[in-house]
Amino acid sequence: MTDSMTGVGGRPEVIIEGSNDVNGPWMEYNFHYKPGNVFEPPPIVAPHQPRLDWQIWFAALGSYEYNPWFVHLVYRLLQGKQDVLDLLAKNPFPHRAPTYIRARLYKYHYTELPKNISSLSDVLHNNRLVKSWWWRENVREYLPSVAVNEPSLIKWLNQHGYAKDDPWPERPSGRLHKAIKYLRSIVRTLDAVRFMMALFACGVLMGIFNRCLFRKQRLS
């Protein structure tokens, strides 16, 4: 467990795939922060906490039997729930949810730099030399392919407290809700890390300003 959490021997990652045919081809769902596409560089996350990506990493350390929320996530993707799709970086099925979804467990490793690259500057100025940031090995099946109305899936969800007809939370109404919805629509277009950094910078500047103002009042 410790080696898996530190990435020694490879970082375990669950990759969710969808298809309209049980025999494929399968297309991957990409997340904002967790490794997926081997050509995407690792993002700077702190101080933002991407909870879903983080939880999926923990799920990769075990199995779906001990992470029923993961199966429920897959079920919502099969339903095409927009609130769930908004948590992803890329939806490979923008027009209609896939018929089947499965998940596979991979181990991710950082790509070794070519011998003609000797410094970080070489990477930044010659990024074409680094074709991929990761290489991965297929470990095993994590979740077998399931369909939205599959009886075994519905039964499993019911057994773990996720009822099939569990109503989606009713949306509130009123001026406050409209204001929050408007702010959320603006924030959603921003990069989460930059947004959190901007808030942090504003807090630091406000603290410095208040301290200077307090010192000026004491001197006067």
Side-chain angles (χ1 to χ4, degrees), residues 174-189:
R175 293 183 179 179
L176 179 60
H177 168 68
K178 291 180 179 179
I180 294 176
K181 186 177 180 180
Y182 174 72
L183 290 175
R184 183 176 294 174
S185 66
I186 297 176
V187 172
R188 184 171 289 172
T189 61

Side-chain angles (χ1 to χ4, degrees), residues 47-205:
H48 175 60
Q49 175 58 47
R51 297 183 64 182
L52 177 59
D53 301 54
W54 185 55
Q55 287 296 325
I56 292 182
W57 174 62
F58 275 104
L61 301 175
S63 64
Y64 76 86
E65 289 92 341
Y66 294 99
N67 295 278
W69 65 267
F70 179 84
V71 183
H72 191 232
L73 169 67
V74 168
Y75 179 64
R76 291 305 189 186
L77 291 176
L78 285 167
Q79 289 182 317
K81 290 292 185 180
Q82 190 59 47
D83 286 348
V84 177
L85 291 170
D86 287 341
L87 300 174
L88 309 182
K90 179 183 177 182
N91 174 20
F93 302 92
H95 304 297
R96 184 179 179 182
T99 306
Y100 303 97
I101 285 182
R102 71 180 186 183
R104 301 201 64 82
L105 179 67
Y106 288 85
K107 278 194 174 181
Y108 277 70
H109 308 264
Y110 280 119
T111 300
E112 294 183 1
L113 292 177
K115 294 181 179 180
N116 57 341
I117 292 182
S118 58
S119 66
L120 179 60
S121 177
D122 292 337
V123 177
L124 297 176
H125 293 90
N126 301 283
N127 53 11
R128 292 182 180 179
L129 297 176
V130 183
K131 296 182 179 180
S132 62
W133 287 83
W134 307 89
W135 66 272
R136 67 185 186 182
E137 52 182 321
N138 190 349
V139 178
R140 61 176 172 84
E141 179 182 76
Y142 186 85
L143 177 72
S145 60
V146 292
V148 66
N149 292 320
E150 191 170 311
S152 59
L153 172 62
I154 304 303
K155 181 180 178 181
W156 197 92
L157 290 172
N158 287 331
Q159 289 175 345
H160 290 80
Y162 296 100
K164 174 186 176 182
D165 298 323
D166 186 22
W168 203 249
E170 183 178 351
R171 297 182 181 274
S173 58
R175 293 183 179 179
L176 179 60
H177 168 68
K178 291 180 179 179
I180 294 176
K181 186 177 180 180
Y182 174 72
L183 290 175
R184 183 176 294 174
S185 66
I186 297 176
V187 172
R188 184 171 289 172
T189 61
L190 302 176
D191 178 79
V193 176
R194 293 181 180 178
F195 179 68
M196 293 298 295
M197 288 292 188
L199 289 180
F200 178 76
C202 289
V204 172
L205 290 175

